[in-house]
């Protein structure tokens, strides 16, 4: 018999709260859970209630130094980097199994800390299981090449891990971000120091505990909750860190690049987006509308790949705009643990105020408010789905990443116009095209400057499908072959016979 949904939700929340309240939340360094060298800690707030959940040890540069030492030691020890790739595959598969056995608990921790609806968090945790299994398969497939020669030499290449990898992740879907970063680095034989975001770090700590329950050698993963300008910057600047991988805002991404020049560590960046979602008159309009609403409302719009610019061909513009507003109005805002909630709160009061300010900017700029526009004063940092119509692509609300449930609908004339306006942005993370015309679909996809494209769908993911940005949306790719390249380096060897 399956457990009724309500009981399952209650059980998950109770389990998550028990974990949150049990013991102090500390840093993971070299296999030990330790307090910060400074003795400092910071508050973790539930954004749905604004109540204190717990305190977490606050890492700064002294803890970064200790974690780098531990990660270096673990990397140099033959127990990890030099382990049989088959053994490493088994390790990652065991991690996947362990996470799978804790989906509801991890999801509830994520919901309490980040505010996302429980159903959304469950999907995110389930995706992390797939990601670990995907990268588990890569361990045995990190291949070098053999280079043609005249027979008097043998020349070949080896792909080797980079070493100690610093990883700084954001607060929007932390469990997924942590999993992507861990799995990608570990399958290639690196060791890692993860700095989760100060606004939502609990799922990373629980994930690390679960990983520790498997047989990973101490120091292979280290986790340092803390703030960006202190712990994050120390990691980016550190002379003995070989790579820094960052997901977050474009502004901080640029700072990371500057900091990484200290020792020319390798850098990969997954940054913001302002994705064009282009609907032609011949599209399946109902499907396009449902997807358009889902992409800007999911996780309350706090998604880098969200389709926040909805380009609609003029002849169907009125019809689509009306239907989008209708459907978005049914996306209920509320308690992340209620079964009918589609949008939880935003992450913080600051983020709520930021989004509120953008809603004001849209109205002052002359965009037509079709739906919503309200942000609660609390408790909880809630903002309702907000739809602006007749937006001009050069308005601030169409150019800047808002990271809230705010959609800009922009009419367009024809293919060329859609491409021109769609590409008129500093970002290039994702984009979608809706049409029944196969030739047009591929032509427009080819012309749009973004790293991940969809035709007649939006936001679907597969860990085998590369993810990353054109233009100021980032450097490098996660998932796929390129992500393996990004965590390894080439050594070329010549043998003379
Ligand atoms: P943020 O970029 O400051 O935070 C992301 C991570 O970077 C956090 O772990 C933070 O501690 C760290 N960080 C901050 N400053 C750092 C530094 N100097 N060195 C190293 N690490 C540092 O994002 P924030 O301020 O919380 O959000 C502001 C806006 O950024 C959002 O409204 C959104 O537009 C964008 N953003 C985009 C994300 C994405 O995935 N594309 C994720 C988070 C935010
Ligand atoms: Mg929080």
């Amino acid at each position: 018999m399956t457990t009724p949904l309500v009981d399952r939700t209650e059980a998950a929340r109770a389990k998550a709260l028990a974990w949150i309240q049990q013991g102090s939340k500390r840093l993971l360094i070299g296999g030990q859970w330790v307090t910060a060298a400074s003795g400092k800690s910071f508050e973790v707030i539930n954004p749905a209630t604004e109540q204190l959940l717990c305190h977490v040890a606050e890492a700064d540069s002294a803890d970064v130094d200790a974690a780098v030492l531990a990660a270096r030691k673990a990397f140099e020890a033959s127990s990890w980097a030099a382990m049989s790739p088959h053994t490493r595959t088994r390790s990652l598969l065991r991690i996947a199994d362990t996470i799978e056995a804790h989906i509801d608990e991890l999801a509830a921790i994520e919901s309490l800390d980040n505010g996302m609806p429980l159903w959304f968090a469950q999907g995110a945790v389930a995706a992390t299981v797939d990601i670990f299994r995907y990268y588990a398969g890569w361990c045995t497939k990190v291949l070098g090449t053999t280079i043609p020669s005249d027979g008097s030499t043998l020349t070949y290449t080896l792909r080797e891990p980079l070493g100690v990898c610093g990883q700084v992740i954001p607060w929007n879907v932390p469990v997924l971000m942590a999993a992507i970063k861990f799995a990608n680095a570990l399958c290639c034989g690196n060791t890692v120091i993860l700095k989760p975001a100060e606004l939502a770090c609990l799922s990373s700590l629980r994930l690390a505990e679960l990983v520790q329950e498997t047989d990973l050698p101490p120091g292979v993963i280290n986790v340092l909750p803390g703030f960006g300008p202190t712990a994050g910057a120390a990691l980016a600047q550190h002379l003995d860190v070989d790579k820094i991988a960052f997901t977050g805002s474009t502004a901080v991404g640029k700072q990371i690049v500057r900091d990484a020049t200290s020792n020319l560590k390798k850098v990969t960046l997954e940054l913001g987006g302002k994705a064009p979602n282009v609907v032609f008159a011949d599209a399946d309009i109902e499907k396009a509308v449902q997807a358009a609403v889902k992409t800007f409302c999911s996780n309350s719009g706090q998604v880098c790949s969200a389709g926040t610019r909805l380009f609609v061909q003029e002849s169907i513009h009125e019809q689509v705009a009306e239907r989008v507003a209708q459907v978005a109005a049914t996306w209920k805002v509320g308690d992340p643990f209620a079964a009918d909630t589609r949008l939880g709160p935003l992450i913080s009061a600051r983020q709520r105020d930021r989004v509120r300010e953008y809603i004001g900017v849209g109205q002052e700029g002359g965009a037509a408010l079709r739906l919503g526009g309200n942000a609660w004063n609390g408790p909880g940092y809630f903002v309702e789905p907000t739809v602006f119509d007749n937006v001009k692509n050069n308005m601030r609300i169409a150019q800047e990443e808002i990271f809230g449930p705010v959609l800009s609908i922009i009419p367009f004339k024809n293919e060329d116009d859609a491409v021109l306006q769609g590409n008129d942005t500093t970002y290039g993370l994702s984009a979608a095209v809706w049409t029944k015309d196969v030739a047009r679909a591929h032509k427009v996809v080819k012309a749009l400057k973004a790293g991940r494209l969809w035709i007649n769908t939006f936001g679907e993911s597969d860990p085998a499908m590369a993810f990353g940005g054109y233009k100021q949306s980032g450097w490098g790719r996660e998932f796929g072959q390129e992500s393996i390249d990004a965590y390894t380096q080439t050594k070329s060897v010549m043998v003379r016979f």
Side-chain angles (χ1 to χ4, degrees), residues 229-476:
T230 48
L235 204 50
Q237 290 161 6
H238 206 285
L239 296 176
D240 200 32
V241 169
D242 300 300
K243 174 192 169 105
I244 185 99
F246 172 72
T247 300
S249 63
T250 295
V252 171
K254 290 177 183 178
Q255 184 58 44
I256 297 258
V257 169
R258 288 189 285 269
D259 286 343
T261 59
S262 59
N263 67 338
L264 296 178
K265 59 176 66 63
K266 312 288 186 275
V267 181
T268 46
L269 305 169
E270 297 295 342
L271 307 175
K274 198 74 197 179
N277 186 13
V278 181
V279 185
F280 285 95
D282 69 343
D284 180 328
I285 291 176
E286 188 54 25
K287 274 192 188 152
V289 165
Q290 295 291 342
V293 171
K294 189 174 175 199
T295 176
F296 92 91
C297 286
S298 285
N299 209 21
S300 291
Q302 302 166 117
V303 175
C304 48
S305 58
T308 46
R309 289 184 299 149
L310 181 63
F311 288 96
V312 185
Q313 197 156 22
E314 278 172 354
S315 61
I316 54 161
H317 164 233
E318 184 50 36
Q319 176 195 354
V320 168
E322 193 182 324
R323 184 76 187 126
V324 162
Q326 244 173 33
V327 173
T330 68
W331 276 60
K332 201 165 163 280
V333 181
D335 173 8
F337 287 87
D340 60 349
T341 291
R342 309 307 284 169
L343 288 85
L346 300 194
I347 191 71
S348 65
R350 181 173 156 246
Q351 193 64 19
R352 189 256 329 264
D353 295 346
R354 218 181 109 97
V355 172
R356 181 152 45 194
E357 201 184 306
Y358 273 113
I359 292 171
V361 165
Q363 284 170 303
E364 283 151 29
L369 186 65
R370 273 248 185 193
L371 179 76
N374 296 308
W376 278 238
N377 280 322
Y381 315 120
F382 295 95
V383 179
E384 60 185 6
T386 297
V387 177
F388 280 108
D389 193 9
N390 287 319
V391 176
K392 303 260 182 303
N393 191 53
N394 61 5
M395 288 180 182
R396 273 185 65 198
I397 56 166
Q399 287 294 319
E400 297 173 23
E401 185 177 52
I402 298 175
F403 239 52
V406 182
L407 180 69
S408 290
I409 301 182
I410 308 173
F412 72 87
K413 291 189 171 52
N414 52 33
E415 247 173 70
D416 288 349
D417 186 27
V419 168
L420 199 73
Q421 294 200 67
N423 283 337
D424 186 7
T425 165
T426 56
Y427 292 113
L429 192 55
S430 59
V433 181
W434 296 80
T435 177
K436 293 199 181 102
D437 180 335
V438 175
R440 170 196 274 159
H442 292 287
K443 204 172 138 199
V444 174
V445 150
K446 178 111 173 61
L448 287 171
K449 294 182 168 67
R452 183 179 276 188
L453 277 292
W454 293 281
I455 297 171
N456 296 336
T457 183
F458 202 110
E460 292 188 61
S461 193
D462 182 319
M465 190 185 175
F467 184 70
Y470 278 37
K471 298 193 264 183
Q472 292 190 39
S473 288
W475 284 357

Side-chain angles (χ1 to χ4, degrees), residues 73-149:
K73 201 170 141 203
F75 180 71
E76 301 300 342
S78 54
S79 54
W80 182 245
M83 125 190 324
S84 150
H86 295 283
T87 311
R88 192 172 310 124
T89 290
R90 283 195 293 274
S91 268
L92 295 192
L93 290 176
R94 253 194 304 274
I95 293 172
D97 292 345
T98 308
I99 297 170
E100 196 167 42
H102 291 83
I103 288 183
D104 283 0
E105 183 199 345
L106 266 168
I109 291 171
E110 191 85 316
S111 284
L112 286 164
D113 192 3
N114 162 287
M116 66 177 66
L118 184 67
W119 61 268
F120 185 86
Q122 285 166 334
V125 182
T128 72
V129 176
D130 289 342
I131 286 164
F132 270 101
R133 291 194 178 132
Y134 170 74
Y135 279 111
W138 267 109
C139 300
T140 51
K141 294 158 197 79
V142 182
L143 305 178
T145 55
T146 316
I147 294 163
S149 78

